[in-house]
Amino acid sequence: MTAAFPEEAYAAALASASKVGPATLRRLLAHDPPSVAWSRSGLGGEDAVARAWQRHEELDITVLTSGSPEYPARLRHDPEAPAVLFCRGNPAVLNQLPTAALVGTRSPTRYGIGVAAQLGAELAAAGVSVVSGLALGIDGAAHEGACAAGAPPIAVVAGGLGDPYPRRHERLWGRVAAQGAIVSESPAGVRTEKWRFPVRNRLLASLSDVVVVVESRHGGGSRHTVEAALALAVPIGAVPGSIRSPTSEGTNALLADGCFPVCGVTDILVALSLNGVTLAGPIPDPAAASASAAAEYRGPDRALFDALSPDPSSLDQLARLTGLDLPALCGGLERLAQAGVARDVGGWWERT
């Protein structure tokens, strides 16, 4: 008997059934194509398939099964890989480039936000797709940086792709989907239940060649991603933070446990290379990049570049050194930050 819909429609209907979780879905599709699995499941008729398929088509969501050509190759050897994956954007980017996850707390410091955005931008510029969860805090900052230019970003979310969460990131969702891809194990229309977030974090780790925690409290949600990365033998890095900052307790503990320290994008690129990942170009030399950057600036921006140092300076100090008024000073700092040669550290500025 010929199926009335594409196999992807039956896969979406199976995933949408309230009684079918990730493990059950893997079992149902382990040996049968989705149309056969649906017929045997007794979960409903063709009308339920039609509704599920229409919902995903209207939202322009691509349904990927483990047999789809664009199904992520990184997941094929994961015993808990999703049997069905939902994607907004271009699913081809899931297999194109090296990937690095940037994760952390939803309540970061300005230091953490700045570091996440900087690492996101520099990784993207180096040809590495940044993977994160589109959550508030570190996740959002990492994707804001990654969307600036370069490699396509990849987001992994817990809920269905028809309902951006959190609402404050609706525009960022649109940018990530337009430039890269957003994926989820959850079909459109399902409630974002609490158990879906650890499942999301495992998928995030599985899609990444390396995982970096930027800021995290003890017992923060990032621990699920770290535990998944450990189980999958994915290298884990952490950004050092102040011993006085609660948001760095988790990352400093990871460093004490043997994770590699991340003091700049080069540390991540070296970790990728050591793990056998082929990079598009040579690992950048920060000193050479700084010297090259200095030669590019003229006038007030050059004066500002020269005034910056690896030691953080306040806006007042930089204004005295350069003679710039506040608007010109802030504009110049933003231009230098976008070029990757300066960064904001809790309201103070330093040369990278």
Side-chain angles (χ1 to χ4, degrees):
M1 179 179 174
T2 304
F5 298 96
E7 290 296 328
E8 292 80 6
Y10 293 95
L14 283 166
S16 301
S18 59
K19 297 180 181 179
V20 177
T24 302
L25 190 58
R26 279 194 298 273
R27 179 176 56 78
L28 288 171
L29 297 178
H31 304 291
D32 293 323
S35 57
V36 175
W38 176 260
S39 177
R40 292 178 174 176
S41 69
L43 291 168
E46 298 288 287
D47 56 335
V49 179
R51 287 193 299 271
W53 187 232
Q54 182 181 8
R55 185 161 57 242
H56 290 83
E57 280 198 313
E58 287 176 348
L59 294 168
D60 200 21
I61 296 173
T62 303
V63 181
L64 301 173
T65 65
S66 57
S68 303
E70 291 176 322
Y71 187 87
R74 290 177 180 84
L75 302 180
R76 296 197 183 278
H77 301 294
D78 181 355
E80 294 185 35
V84 181
L85 195 61
F86 300 90
C87 177
R88 278 185 64 187
N90 180 8
V93 307
L94 302 173
N95 289 307
Q96 284 179 347
L97 295 170
T99 56
L102 297 178
V103 299
T105 178
R106 286 177 169 80
S107 304
T109 62
R110 291 182 65 183
Y111 162 75
I113 292 173
V115 170
Q118 178 186 346
L119 291 177
E122 292 177 346
L123 284 167
V128 178
S129 285
V130 172
V131 185
S132 202
L134 272 177
L136 297 175
I138 295 300
D139 289 21
H143 270 142
E144 288 283 4
C147 283
I154 298 171
V156 185
V157 299
L161 299 180
D163 187 23
Y165 176 86
R167 283 292 178 187
R168 282 168 55 186
H169 279 178
E170 188 167 1
R171 285 188 178 182
L172 185 57
W173 271 60
R175 291 171 64 197
V176 172
Q179 297 179 29
I182 308 177
V183 297
S184 177
E185 286 193 53
S186 302
V190 303
R191 291 192 305 115
T192 307
E193 299 159 294
K194 194 172 182 179
W195 64 266
R196 294 185 185 273
F197 287 93
V199 172
R200 181 276 305 269
N201 291 343
R202 191 182 193 287
L203 176 58
L204 193 154
S206 191
L207 284 170
S208 304
D209 295 319
V210 64
V211 168
V212 175
V213 186
V214 178
E215 270 190 329
S216 178
R217 296 174 181 268
H218 266 312
S222 299
R223 76 182 188 278
H224 295 296
T225 308
V226 169
E227 289 167 0
L230 286 170
L232 294 164
V234 175
I236 303 165
V239 174
S242 169
I243 61 173
R244 296 177 175 177
S245 173
T247 56
S248 290
E249 290 176 349
T251 48
N252 289 341
L254 288 173
L255 293 172
D257 288 340
C259 294
F260 70 88
V262 175
C263 299
V265 71
T266 303
D267 296 319
I268 304 174
L269 298 177
V270 169
L272 287 167
S273 182
L274 291 175
N275 203 40
V277 176
T278 302
L279 300 173
I283 295 173
D285 179 347
S290 180
S292 175
E296 294 180 8
Y297 299 111
R298 299 289 185 273
D301 283 2
R302 177 57 189 264
L304 184 52
F305 181 88
D306 290 339
L308 290 166
S309 76
D311 295 321
S313 302
S314 69
L315 292 177
D316 287 341
Q317 289 172 320
L318 292 172
R320 286 196 300 270
L321 289 170
T322 62
L324 297 173
D325 60 20
L326 189 59
L329 183 67
C330 291
L333 287 170
E334 285 303 320
R335 287 190 294 275
L336 295 180
Q338 289 176 11
V341 297
R343 63 184 170 197
D344 179 1
V345 185
W348 294 54
W349 285 82
E350 64 185 18
R351 187 189 298 178
T352 59

